[in-house]
Amino acid sequence: MAAVQGTGSLPSGQPREAPREAIPERGNAFRRLSARLCALRPDDSSSARTEIHLLFDQLISENYSEGSGVAPEDVSALLVQACRLVPLNQNHLVSKVSQLIHHLLNRLQVIVDEQHLDFLLAYTISAIHQCSSWTHMEILQALAALVYCNGSKCQKIYLPELLGKTGLLMKLSDLAQSDPEVRRAAVHCMANLCLSVPGQPYVEEPYQNICFQAFLTILPSPESSDMDDITFCMLLQNALKGIQSLLNGGRMKLTQTDELGALLAVLKKFMFHGLPGLNIEMPTTRACALQVLSAILEGSKQFLSVAEDTSDHRRAFTPFSVMIASSIRELHRCLLLALVAESSSQTLTQIIKCLANLVSNAPYNRLKLNLLTKVWNQIKPYIRHKDVNVRVSSLTLLGAIVSTHAPLPEVQLLLQQPCSSGLGNSNLATPHLSPPDWWKKAPAGPSLEEMSVSSPKGSSEPCWLIRLCISIVVLPKEDSCSGSDAGSAAGSAYEPSPMRLEALQVLALVARGYFSMTQAYLMELGEVICKCMGEADPSIQLHGAKLRVGSPVMSWAAAFPLPLFQVVMFWTMMLNGPLPRALQNSEHPTLQASACDALSSILPEAFSSLPNDRQILCITVLLGLNDSKNRLVKAATSRALGVYVLFPCLRQDVIFVADTANAILMSLEDKSLNVRAKAAWSLGNLTDTLIVNMETPDPSFQEEFSGLLLLKMLRSAIEASKDKDKVKSNAVRALGNLLHFLQPSHIEKPTFAEIIEESIQALISTVLTEAAMKVRWNACYAMGNVFKNPALPLGTAPWTSQAYSALTSVVTSCKNFKVRIRSAAALSVPGKREQYGSVEQYARIWNALVTALQKSEDTIDFLEFKYCASLRTQICQALIHLLSLASASDLPCIKEILELNGNMVQSYILQFLKSGAEGDDTGAPHSPQETDQMVRMALKHMGSIQAPAGDTARRAIMGFLEEILAICFDSSGSQGALPGLTNQ
């Protein structure tokens, strides 16, 4: 029997394994048959063909359903040997070996490795070319199994042959293909080629586009007369799955509007495929169409954000924004129609998931009202559906509604709907919520009697969604659920775990987006958290800890103030309940980390009002957990300490601040980038506390804080400034604060001289580096902080010129305007002329600022234009500040630059005077009166300078300033003499 000729082959001479001794029970039959097959050699005799037939039949008939423990490489090796034994002129054997490939790879869930794939692909492609057409169906099935998740491994050699203009799959999938089963199998091969494993390469873009166009051509084509309904539906499903793979795993982007429109049109058609009024019931095809639509909607927020139809459209043309808004409304309409018409639980779940994706990405703040109301009212009955997956996805959709663009007035009204509104009684699977005393129906048990979530006092109507979610989490089921309630422990009295977990997530989303609705339930939610964290299920414990109502309390406290005693009661309940146990549960580090996050969300006012022993408990636990070996716990602890060090009741406690500093410095050396990033953030907060303490009248903190610890902090911050950007941005922030905090007693010590120089060099290096915007912004901000310390030798130290050179370089040339603004702000910090150094140094700074003003609109990035006005404001402020400190020696340089650029500078200063410093990036807006006063102070200073006889520079500069004030005064419409100006 002749050997098979193909374009790929395995290295020759590899010895086959001999039959193994003491074979385990599992896989025994496979290995025995494999050994027999490997012992055969190519043979032309009829007896050899018969034996191969029998061996193939035995391998196909074996039961592999329970898992045989067979290694994937053994399966691949067996298939290669099988193909070697079958020449391509033996059609029946080729058909049988194709069945074997398809059967083994599917039943054993094997993805063929690259080494064996090369040979097997060459064999199957050659078989299609050479064998009779009646074998093509089986060969294509084998090919589909071989290329499953292997598309990226095929592209070097085989994709051109399969997907080129005259490619094999392109011809066999064409509408002209006479055999419908072959056509379907070819499309199945293409769909499998597009599938990729997450994290692995996927098919290159040209081949993605070829497959996408093929699928898009197949979907709208009518069912041919020679194709039965089942085959046609399978063809559609394969095309839809192929598109889903391209959009999900392949990350394909639909850049052409006509492509997107065509795809949406066919998806709209197949969402209703098989419903009453088409021929057959085919929920699987509808589910596939919905999965593709979900893949399109996922991550579409930026594209859909242009939609707008809040006002009536009365123009001669339809804007693109209105067209997108119309598409969004049509998607809502179709999906809600499909929801009403669908009877299959599996497809219902897909419809609801698709709606959740749509809700998460649509810009409802730019659309007319009632879209969300329709979704809300139509989904409520499904919360009680008999199928748990439908119930879970319904809660997911409600969570998407309360989280999208929160808070929305429309959703606020929906949350206030009567509890019974829209909740049907069919297929009931969750507790009834209509009676006002619903919670009293719960059987007596620990804390349930106390956990009354009835209407809050003073509230006309409670929030039905909060009550629903609490009931799902804590109350027993009233009715038995269907057999599809996966995730519910045997004999469990509660809802299945997925339902309870989703309910907890919805509660967290409501608390975050609509705290005004949640605040009345603060104590009840505290009980829910305590109950969940006390359960045995780790997932319930974790989601209970993540509910963290304290975090929304912090962010919403200003808008919806709660009585302090109520917040204190909440945290007392937490700290007397299971929270401390969760914090010390080293066997569940994820829960520990979440408990740390919960502890960090306490309000400073509430913390200071807690009993002293509870305060000590929080601090002691956090400092102890900082030694954890788990990186999640260590990161959460570092962050929590960074929050606590800002508390007014703790920040002047030298011992606590010092203990926190040592803990943070230890975390800053951790191997985990996430831990180091959190530690750097906390170090920045701690150094903010040092600056706040400087500003208090009592100097005891500065005197008691350890100089050695300051040295350690400086060294650690210098090292961290060389780390990744996530760490570096806060490390330079800390360096600026530390250098600002240093007292004369520190600076005078020789041990500090070298570290101060290193710290400033680290800042200079970071200002100039091509790092992320946040890093450079923080470095410029830190440099401004350094300039605020009068004890540092700014102006005389060697690093002065380097620092100013770095800032002037940034202010004139940095691509990011926010960084330029911050560097200009730093240049205007020094309060004395001598701090700017020599006349030459002063002139370089003045010249750089004028150049920066001139280039304040030079950018190729459209996004930077919105910062142009703020940049000019800050530069004008810096120029006026420099004028108010100038010495007689500086005047000739100023005059020379004004002679060249005076008109430009004057026009921008006039804008600055008229508009004030609103919207600048320094956090210090000024009124027009204040900016006017700045110019007057500069003019007054110029008048006080003792210039040598015959000097014209002073007079020219004063005339420049007087003219600015005169123009500004005239434009205000005032009459009479300009106050404060005299001829000098």
Side-chain angles (χ1 to χ4, degrees), residues 3-4 16 76 213 244 286 327 361 416 448 460 472 495 520 530 550 718 864 879 910 923 945 968:
V4 175
R16 292 288 172 188
S76 300
Q213 292 301 330
Q244 185 187 3
R286 298 194 294 277
S327 298
N361 289 283
Q416 293 169 341
L448 279 179
S460 58
I472 290 171
E495 283 287 324
C530 288
I718 290 168
E864 296 299 324
L879 286 170
L910 282 168
I945 294 175
C968 189

Side-chain angles (χ1 to χ4, degrees), residues 438-457:
W438 62 276
W439 58 274
K440 294 180 182 176
K441 295 183 180 179
S447 82
L448 279 179
E449 193 63 35
E450 302 168 6
M451 196 182 338
S452 58
V453 275
S454 55
S455 303
K457 292 180 181 178

Side-chain angles (χ1 to χ4, degrees), residues 576 610-618:
N576 289 337
L610 286 173
N612 194 49
D613 64 328
R614 300 296 89 182
Q615 292 185 25
I616 294 171
L617 170 69
C618 294

Side-chain angles (χ1 to χ4, degrees), residues 61 98 258 497 655-656 849 867 955:
S61 64
S98 298
D258 55 343
S497 183
I655 295 175
F656 169 73
L849 288 168
Y867 300 114
R955 179 62 257 170

Side-chain angles (χ1 to χ4, degrees), residues 443-741:
S447 82
L448 279 179
E449 193 63 35
E450 302 168 6
M451 196 182 338
S452 58
V453 275
S454 55
S455 303
K457 292 180 181 178
S459 170
S460 58
E461 187 64 53
C463 177
W464 74 269
L465 184 57
I466 294 177
R467 294 180 67 201
L468 169 74
C469 291
I470 292 178
S471 71
I472 290 171
V473 174
V474 302
L475 294 185
K477 299 178 289 193
E478 288 192 356
D479 295 297
S480 60
C481 298
S482 72
S484 61
D485 276 357
S488 182
S492 171
Y494 295 104
E495 283 287 324
S497 183
M499 266 299 270
R500 300 179 74 201
L501 295 176
E502 199 63 41
L504 284 168
Q505 292 189 55
V506 173
L507 280 174
L509 292 170
V510 176
R512 188 177 304 131
Y514 297 88
F515 188 70
S516 59
M517 303 292 298
T518 315
Q519 60 180 347
Y521 293 89
L522 186 62
M523 300 310 294
E524 287 82 358
L525 289 172
E527 290 279 2
V528 171
I529 295 170
C530 288
K531 182 181 189 323
C532 290
M533 292 179 69
E535 289 198 17
D537 185 343
S539 297
I540 298 291
Q541 291 179 357
L542 182 60
H543 280 75
K546 284 185 174 179
L547 180 51
R548 297 211 317 266
V549 186
S551 185
V553 169
M554 184 178 290
S555 57
W556 285 80
F560 302 101
L562 284 170
L564 183 60
F565 79 90
Q566 193 176 1
V567 181
V568 173
M569 281 177 61
F570 173 85
W571 282 107
T572 303
M573 182 198 309
M574 293 290 102
L575 293 168
N576 289 337
L579 187 58
R581 288 200 301 275
L583 286 163
Q584 297 171 50
N585 187 352
S586 58
E587 294 180 2
H588 193 351
T590 310
L591 177 63
Q592 271 188 305
S594 190
C596 284
D597 290 336
L599 211 57
S600 70
S601 63
I602 186 170
L603 287 167
E605 298 85 353
F607 183 86
S608 61
S609 301
L610 286 173
N612 194 49
D613 64 328
R614 300 296 89 182
Q615 292 185 25
I616 294 171
L617 170 69
C618 294
I619 295 168
T620 306
V621 168
L622 287 177
L623 287 171
L625 284 176
N626 197 70
D627 293 328
S628 172
K629 302 299 180 188
N630 185 276
R631 292 170 182 176
L632 280 176
V633 177
K634 200 162 188 176
T637 305
S638 293
R639 184 188 173 279
L641 287 170
V643 172
Y644 276 43
V645 81
L646 296 174
F647 287 0
C649 63
L650 293 176
R651 66 186 177 211
Q652 288 190 317
D653 183 335
V654 177
I655 295 175
F656 169 73
V657 174
D659 287 345
T660 301
N662 282 311
I664 290 169
L665 294 183
M666 185 173 70
S667 295
L668 210 51
E669 297 175 0
D670 197 87
K671 292 180 180 178
S672 164
L673 174 60
N674 189 39
V675 173
R676 298 198 306 276
K678 292 290 193 296
W681 178 81
S682 294
L683 182 63
N685 283 6
L686 189 145
T687 56
D688 285 344
T689 286
L690 298 184
I691 301 303
V692 172
N693 287 340
M694 276 179 68
E695 296 164 359
T696 59
D698 184 5
S700 58
F701 183 91
Q702 293 95 300
E703 293 168 357
E704 294 175 22
F705 197 78
S706 166
L708 287 175
L709 183 53
L710 276 175
L711 278 173
K712 279 177 64 179
M713 292 167 74
L714 283 165
R715 288 195 184 98
S716 293
I718 290 168
E719 287 305 308
S721 72
K722 303 169 188 174
D723 207 328
K724 304 289 186 185
D725 283 357
K726 283 184 177 180
V727 180
K728 188 184 296 187
S729 61
N730 282 301
V732 293
R733 170 184 157 216
L735 275 176
N737 282 335
L738 288 167
L739 291 169
H740 183 188
F741 179 78

Side-chain angles (χ1 to χ4, degrees), residues 261-274:
L263 181 56
L264 289 174
V266 295
L267 292 179
K268 178 181 174 182
K269 172 185 174 183
F270 291 121
M271 277 163 49
F272 301 98
H273 187 77

